[in-house]
Each structure stands twice: as structure tokens, then as C-alpha cells.
Amino acid sequence: MREAPAKRLSKKALPVWRITGFLESLFYLIFPIGYGILLVLFDWPLWVLYVLILLWIAVALLQSLLVPAIRWRRWRYEVYEEEIDLQYGVFIIRRTLIPMIRVQHVDTEQGPIYRHYNLAAVSISTAATVHQIPALTEETASDLRDQIADLAQTADNDD
């Protein structure tokens, strides 16, 4: 059996994923707020509102504290001459091998939070889908993009 990839993402991924996890958890705040509005209009039990608030707090803590830590520990990647090896997942661990011959183009991406932390993501496009290596330092992402582009071009020339 092949060994797991060795390279890890930047440690700066943790605060970024914590921020985005908290922002995503704000979506679920709609349930206690909606129930609170309906509670004013109808004579519904108050204890349900407390349960919904506790559930939202639990989801916010999971998404902003626990999941980013597990996600960072599991995310690994490695670039070989013939393929790119990705391993990631929180509850279900995925292992993806991308043959260099299938790589069509490689991009780096930065959103506002990534830019604040000097991070970038590398997107690897094949004919079927796009794979992404998130939360790399800008320099690492740039070097990785160039390395994958060179290896993909070499793989195309070998055919």
C-alpha cells in the first residue's frame, strides 16, 4: 500500500477555516430567529427556542473549532512526476490521484480572507473536474502551480 502524502497545508489555514466555519454557521441562526418570530405571532412553546439556540451554539462550535482542526490534520498532498496525490476529509477520508497527463491547467486563487493571511489555493483542472489544494502560503502556491504546469507539459510531450 502506498504511503500517505507527506506535505501539509500552512498552519495559517486554521484561523481562516475557523473564521469561515463561524460565518457558515451564521446561516443556521435563521432557525432560532425564525422560530422566535413565529413565537411572537403564535402561542408556541418557549423551550423549543432554547433548544434551537443550543443547537446553533453546538453547530457554531463544531464548525469553528473542531472541524478546522481535524481538517488541517487530515489534509495532505504530494506532487510526483507522474501524478498528484491528495488526501483529505473530516469524517470520510478521500485519497485522490490525479495523473499529470490529465491536467489541463493550473490556477492559484485568493479570496479576501486568504489574502489577509497571505494564503492561496491551487486549483488543478482536468477534463472531468477541478481539484483544489487549499490554504498554501502564496509562495508555496505559486511554486506548486509552476511545478505542476511544467510536469503536466512534460507529461503531454511524452505521448
Side-chain angles (χ1 to χ4, degrees):
M1 184 170 170
R2 176 185 277 217
E3 288 185 31
K7 293 187 179 173
R8 292 180 173 262
L9 302 179
S10 170
K11 272 268 194 191
K12 293 179 184 175
L14 280 170
V16 169
W17 288 344
R18 286 184 177 136
I19 291 169
T20 55
F22 179 74
L23 292 175
E24 289 171 3
S25 72
L26 291 177
F27 168 78
Y28 298 108
L29 196 56
I30 198 165
F31 295 110
I33 289 173
Y35 188 83
I37 291 170
L38 292 174
L39 188 66
V40 173
L41 299 175
F42 304 103
D43 190 26
W44 288 357
L46 184 62
W47 64 269
V48 175
L49 179 64
Y50 294 134
V51 169
L52 289 174
I53 290 171
L54 288 175
L55 285 174
W56 177 78
I57 291 170
V59 167
L61 289 174
L62 278 174
Q63 283 193 319
S64 59
L65 295 178
L66 186 63
V67 170
I70 295 171
R71 188 176 173 199
W72 184 83
R73 266 191 229 124
R74 299 261 169 85
W75 234 113
R76 294 171 186 228
Y77 70 96
E78 192 79 47
V79 176
Y80 303 104
E81 282 188 31
E82 301 288 322
E83 62 205 10
I84 303 163
D85 191 359
L86 307 176
Q87 179 177 307
Y88 57 95
V90 175
F91 300 109
I92 297 172
I93 300 172
R94 294 192 176 165
R95 186 90 183 260
T96 304
L97 293 174
I98 308 165
M100 283 297 176
I101 198 163
R102 300 279 184 221
V103 173
Q104 292 186 335
H105 66 273
V106 187
D107 298 323
T108 53
E109 301 174 10
Q110 277 186 313
I113 299 174
Y114 269 28
R115 201 170 20 254
H116 178 74
Y117 284 92
N118 296 323
L119 294 175
V122 175
S123 295
I124 304 155
S125 299
T126 63
T129 187
V130 176
H131 303 276
Q132 192 174 66
I133 302 174
L136 298 169
T137 62
E138 288 178 358
E139 184 180 342
T140 304
S142 178
D143 291 345
L144 191 62
R145 179 196 61 216
D146 294 344
Q147 180 188 5
I148 291 171
D150 288 343
L151 291 171
Q153 189 174 18
T154 304
D156 280 346
N157 291 338
D158 288 344
D159 290 339

